[in-house]
RNA sequence: GCGCCCGUAGCUCAGAUGGAUAGAGUGUUGGUUUCCGAAACCAAAGGUCACUGGUUCGAAUCCAGUCGGGCGCACCA
């Protein structure tokens, strides 16, 4: 419809433009007005033409309307405000979306933005969560999980070939701390005791790991299986076991949250496979490094950083960003046209360094690759007070606690329904409420309500595909159909902006339109033609609610 | 001190590409059910879009500065 109106306006603009003018090539902006009074579509074309044509915008608008070719979809066209042209579609044009939804079903809202010229989906990787295997996932990881998974779903709908990936930092200082902590617990120490490691992990779960180790338990994580030796003095064995144990714990957290990864990458593998060494060699060869004070530095200031960064410490170890660069070289070599890293905002300083390292290598990686989506902190509230402690983890609220308390659907919704770059307050009381306060239930209720009506009607939903829609003339019906037709644009915009919260907001509005309609009109009426048309409309609405909820990873229940 | 993000109704937040009278939920007040699920609907009230200046026919949106909050500024990740 947008394309149709653009064409009409282009023709009109050309016909009123003076000889030799280039107004016909102007970008035509069409938007959906906020209020129904302003029609179904509006353009500011007359205002943008005012300057080049040196005429009053309203006069131009009048001329444009007069020059508009005939259209089968237009009702009336009006001038409003300073020179807006408002288009009112006729009933038939509005009703068309219902047929389209029946035709496309679960693919309604999808598009092919991610396809290449040959029509093949391009490869995109979404890396998210990527927690250190040193403890259970916390709320912050939960936000990353919810946002990252929704991004993956959105990009899939946008026509991309998506890989979900989790990167484990299973090498480095934090893992040493973990090992020491478990070993101390094996020795019977607690965090309150004198000999407890300085930066040790204090949560109760460390005691669980130690107990399992001493009991010679076997744990499975992704592709590895580790059986504990029970030898308290064997730090290497403890380390392997503890990492595997906590990876398994995190797998359980993710499963409870309904999230599946395609690939798990291990930092340790980058070392054992020589990828870190190779990257360092290449960086040295690139000429962007230097030695100073017995350390090796990368001249990241060549690529926009505010100071150079150490790559190899005086103790011979690499700083964390070096394996990170190696990891991204690996991603590039795996053929991802796009990579999106979803991380907590506290990691934002890595962005410049990783990109600088990739540019220094000069292997054809575009500037600004990879993309980053950073989410801000989450504060959890209960009874008007901030919740800070969890028994299990010691110092933070775990994702599993939240899921157990408020449910998977509400947790996902609340963590994905806000812009990633603003701080989020997670109100447990609100998320738990099974009342109209709670937007998750509000949306799910709309879906269940429709299912209930369709049930009582008792006919076959597929038979509605070719129902005559012309009886749909009520204002709430026009509003609902208008909203349905917006869905594909919202999906496209949300994918482009990497902003899943746009879907959550859209669904609230769609649910609201449905509830208003429900209260204003009786669906199961005597008039058979009207009843069938209404069954078709609410059935289409049900489909879009389901498609939208699916993008968020939230269930669309038939009964509640 | 430097860098990144944020500041919109009492509270929690939307306002994609600059557009018309800045919206929703919640809370407050009042109303709606012999009828498809009241987990719903309708209505009223509630605003210096942090502040100041600039760009523009037009700014919550773009630019500069000020104030306030968060995060980062390790040879930690």
């Amino acid at each position: 419809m947008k394309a149709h109106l653009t064409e009409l306006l282009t023709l009109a603009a050309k016909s009123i433009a003076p000889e030799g003018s280039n107004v016909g090539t102007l970008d035509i902006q069409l938007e959906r007005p906020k209020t129904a009074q302003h029609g179904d579509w509006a353009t500011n074309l007359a205002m943008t033409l005012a300057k080049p044509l040196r005429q009053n915008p309203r006069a131009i608008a009048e001329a444009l309307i007069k020059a508009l070719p005939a259209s089968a979809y237009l009702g009336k066209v009006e001038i409003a405000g300073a020179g807006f042209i408002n288009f009112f579609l006729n009933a038939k044009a509005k009703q068309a979306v219902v047929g389209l939804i029946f035709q496309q079903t679960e693919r309604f809202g999808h598009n092919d933005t991610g396809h290449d010229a040959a029509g093949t989906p391009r490869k995109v990787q979404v890396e998210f969560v990527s927690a250190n295997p040193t403890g259970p996932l916390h709320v912050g990881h939960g936000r990353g999980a919810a946002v990252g998974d929704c991004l993956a779903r959105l990009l899939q709908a946008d026509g991309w070939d998506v890989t979900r990936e989790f990167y484990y930092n299973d090498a480095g200082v934090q893992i040493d701390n973990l090992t020491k902590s478990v070993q101390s617990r094996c020795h019977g120490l607690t965090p309150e005791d004198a000999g407890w490691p300085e930066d040790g992990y204090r949560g109760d779960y460390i005691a669980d790991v130690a107990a399992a180790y001493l009991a010679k338990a076997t744990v499975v994580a992704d592709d590895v299986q580790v059986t504990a030796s029970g030898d308290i003095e064997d730090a290497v064995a403890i380390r392997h076991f503890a990492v595997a144990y906590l990876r398994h714990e995190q797998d359980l957290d993710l499963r409870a949250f309904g999230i599946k990864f395609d690939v798990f990458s291990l930092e340790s593998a980058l070392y054992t496979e020589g990828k870190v060494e190779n990257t360092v060699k290449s960086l040295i060869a690139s000429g962007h490094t230097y030695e100073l004070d017995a350390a090796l530095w990368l001249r990241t200031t060549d690529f926009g950083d505010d100071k150079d960064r150490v790559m190899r410490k005086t103790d011979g170890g690499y700083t964390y960003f070096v394996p990170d660069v190696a990891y991204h070289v690996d991603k590039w070599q795996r053929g991802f046209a796009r990579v999106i890293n979803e991380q907590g905002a506290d990691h934002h300083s890595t962005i410049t360094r990783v990109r600088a390292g990739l540019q220094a290598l000069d292997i054809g990686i575009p500037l600004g690759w990879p993309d980053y989506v950073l989410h801000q902190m989450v504060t959890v509230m209960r009874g008007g007070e901030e919740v800070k402690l969890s028994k299990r983890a010691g110092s933070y609220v775990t994702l599993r606690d939240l899921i157990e308390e408020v449910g998977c659907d509400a947790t996902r919704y609340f963590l994905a329904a806000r812009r990633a770059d603003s701080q989020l307050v997670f109100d447990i009381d609100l998320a738990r409420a099974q009342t109209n306060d709670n937007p998750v239930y509000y949306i799910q209720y709309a879906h269940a309500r429709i299912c209930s009506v369709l049930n009582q009607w008792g006919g076959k939903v597929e038979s509605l595909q070719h129902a005559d829609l012309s009886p749909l003339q009520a204002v709430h019906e026009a509003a609902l159909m208008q909203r349905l037709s917006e869905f594909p644009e919202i999906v496209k915009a949300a994918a482009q902006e990497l902003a899943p919260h746009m879907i959550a907001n859209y669904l609230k509005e769609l649910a609201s339109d449905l509830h208003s309609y429900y209260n204003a009109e009786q669906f199961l009426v005597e008039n058979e033609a009207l009843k069938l048309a209404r069954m078709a409309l609410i059935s289409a609405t049900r489909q879009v609610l389901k498609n939208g909820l699916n993008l968020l990873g939230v269930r669309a229940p038939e009964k509640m």
Side-chain angles (χ1 to χ4, degrees):
Chain A
M1 191 53 58
K2 198 170 174 179
H4 175 66
L5 293 174
T6 303
E7 195 185 338
L8 296 182
L9 282 167
T10 306
L11 291 169
K14 273 183 185 157
S15 74
I16 66 158
E19 289 294 318
S21 129
N22 65 345
V23 295
T25 64
L26 273 178
D27 241 9
I28 292 176
Q29 294 176 37
L30 278 161
E31 57 171 22
R32 295 187 180 268
K34 285 168 194 153
T35 67
Q37 293 170 8
H38 296 142
D40 302 305
W41 288 95
T43 183
N44 60 354
L45 181 62
M47 283 133 100
T48 57
L49 286 178
K51 213 169 201 178
L53 294 183
R54 301 173 135 209
Q55 278 183 58
N56 176 330
R58 287 189 72 100
I60 297 174
E62 228 166 286
L64 279 172
I65 291 174
K66 208 170 275 179
L68 222 48
S71 161
Y73 303 109
L74 280 182
K76 57 178 175 172
V77 183
E78 288 181 351
I79 305 174
F84 288 100
I85 301 174
N86 294 336
F87 296 95
F88 292 79
L89 302 179
N90 61 27
K92 199 177 172 188
K94 288 183 188 173
Q95 291 156 1
V97 68
V98 175
L100 190 62
I101 293 166
F102 269 98
Q103 197 185 316
Q104 300 186 336
T105 60
E106 72 274 3
R107 291 192 58 80
F108 178 72
H110 288 222
N111 68 79
D112 59 3
T113 305
H115 291 190
D116 63 17
T120 310
R122 286 177 289 166
K123 285 179 68 177
V124 61
Q125 181 207 61
V126 183
E127 184 207 319
F128 59 112
V129 186
S130 293
N132 289 348
T134 55
L137 299 181
H138 56 66
V139 211
H141 296 130
R143 188 174 193 185
V147 171
D149 190 56
C150 291
L151 283 173
R153 288 164 187 260
L154 269 173
L155 289 165
Q156 240 153 356
D158 212 35
W160 292 83
D161 175 7
V162 181
T163 298
R164 291 170 171 82
E165 189 149 328
F166 188 126
Y167 176 66
Y168 278 102
N169 288 111
D170 64 338
V173 177
Q174 297 308 324
I175 300 299
D176 294 341
N177 288 336
L178 172 70
T179 308
K180 286 179 203 159
S181 307
V182 173
Q183 197 167 26
S184 298
R185 282 284 192 179
C186 288
H187 282 297
L189 292 176
T190 70
E192 282 70 40
D193 292 328
W196 189 257
E198 195 172 341
D199 293 317
Y201 289 92
R202 306 170 69 89
D204 288 353
Y205 65 91
I206 295 291
D208 298 342
V209 181
Y213 182 77
L214 293 173
K216 302 185 181 179
T218 297
V219 289
V220 177
D222 189 33
D223 56 345
V224 295
Q225 178 172 325
V226 176
T227 300
S229 70
D231 179 354
I232 302 185
E233 302 314 318
D234 189 346
V236 173
I238 293 175
R239 175 195 181 99
H240 280 141
F241 180 78
V243 167
Y245 185 101
L246 291 171
R247 283 184 60 195
H248 178 248
E249 279 291 300
Q250 294 185 349
D251 284 350
L252 295 178
D253 292 342
L254 292 167
R255 191 175 308 168
F257 209 31
I259 289 176
K260 277 190 187 156
F261 284 89
D262 303 302
V263 177
F264 290 92
S265 284
L266 270 60
E267 182 185 10
S268 57
L270 295 169
Y271 285 98
T272 57
E273 290 167 12
K275 288 175 179 166
V276 175
E277 272 309 316
N278 285 341
T279 299
V280 172
K281 278 182 198 156
S282 303
L283 283 171
I284 293 172
S286 78
H288 292 284
T289 64
Y290 59 92
E291 302 243 7
L292 180 72
D293 299 335
L296 180 67
W297 297 69
L298 180 65
R299 201 177 288 111
T300 53
T301 49
D302 289 351
F303 306 96
D305 204 350
D306 51 5
K307 61 180 181 185
D308 292 340
R309 306 290 168 175
V310 169
M311 291 171 58
R312 191 171 58 223
K313 302 181 275 186
T314 46
D315 69 4
Y318 293 114
T319 56
Y320 71 91
F321 92 90
V322 176
D324 237 13
V325 172
Y327 179 39
H328 281 85
V329 169
D330 182 61
K331 291 187 185 186
W332 175 253
Q333 288 169 345
R334 280 191 274 156
F336 291 110
R338 271 181 100 183
V339 163
I340 294 155
N341 294 327
E342 205 289 349
Q343 308 179 336
D346 53 343
H347 290 76
H348 80 255
S349 59
T350 67
I351 298 175
T352 318
R353 290 170 218 185
V354 168
R355 285 182 180 159
L358 294 174
Q359 289 306 309
L361 288 168
D362 196 22
I363 51 174
I365 294 176
L367 275 174
W369 189 99
D371 281 329
Y372 284 83
V373 173
L374 302 180
H375 64 261
Q376 297 284 330
M377 302 284 106
V378 181
T379 312
V380 179
M381 305 286 285
R382 182 197 281 117
E385 287 186 7
E386 185 173 349
V387 184
K388 279 192 162 157
L389 297 180
S390 143
K391 244 189 180 170
R392 208 156 134 258
S395 58
Y396 54 81
V397 180
T398 66
L399 177 59
R400 201 100 61 91
D401 289 344
L402 264 191
I403 295 170
E404 278 164 16
E405 188 161 357
V406 310
C408 181
D409 284 343
T411 305
R412 282 188 80 129
Y413 182 90
F414 275 75
L415 290 176
R418 302 280 182 247
R419 292 168 49 99
D421 57 10
S422 63
Q423 293 161 43
L424 185 150
V425 176
F426 193 110
D427 184 339
I428 288 186
D429 303 318
L430 178 61
R432 290 189 64 161
Q434 307 223 342
T435 67
N436 47 353
D437 309 2
N438 192 330
V440 192
Y441 291 110
Y442 183 79
I443 297 164
Q444 290 184 323
Y445 180 47
H447 184 269
R449 217 174 196 186
I450 293 171
C451 291
S452 170
V453 175
L454 289 172
N455 249 341
Q456 286 174 55
W457 167 59
K460 279 198 173 151
V461 169
E462 307 82 66
S463 71
L464 297 167
Q465 173 153 17
H466 302 292
D468 173 20
L469 301 171
S470 58
L472 298 177
Q473 301 287 345
V475 284
H476 287 95
E477 288 164 345
L480 185 53
M481 290 186 287
Q482 165 89 349
R483 186 78 68 192
L484 292 173
S485 69
E486 286 172 21
F487 184 64
E489 297 161 34
I490 296 287
V491 172
K492 200 168 185 173
Q496 190 186 327
E497 305 284 317
L498 302 176
H501 75 277
M502 292 174 74
I503 301 297
N505 289 324
Y506 170 82
L507 286 174
K508 262 200 308 198
E509 285 167 353
L510 176 58
S512 170
D513 288 337
L514 186 276
H515 288 309
S516 292
Y517 177 35
Y518 181 94
N519 278 277
E521 307 287 346
Q522 182 78 13
F523 298 166
L524 296 168
V525 290
E526 292 290 326
N527 180 330
E528 188 68 13
L530 181 59
K531 180 168 74 182
L532 287 179
R534 288 185 167 165
M535 290 304 104
L537 175 55
I538 63 169
S539 176
T541 305
R542 189 196 64 82
Q543 181 74 58
V544 176
L545 283 166
K546 192 175 172 187
N547 291 4
L549 285 168
N550 186 44
L551 286 173
L552 296 177
V554 174
R555 280 177 285 262
E558 302 195 355
K559 281 181 185 167
M560 295 173 67

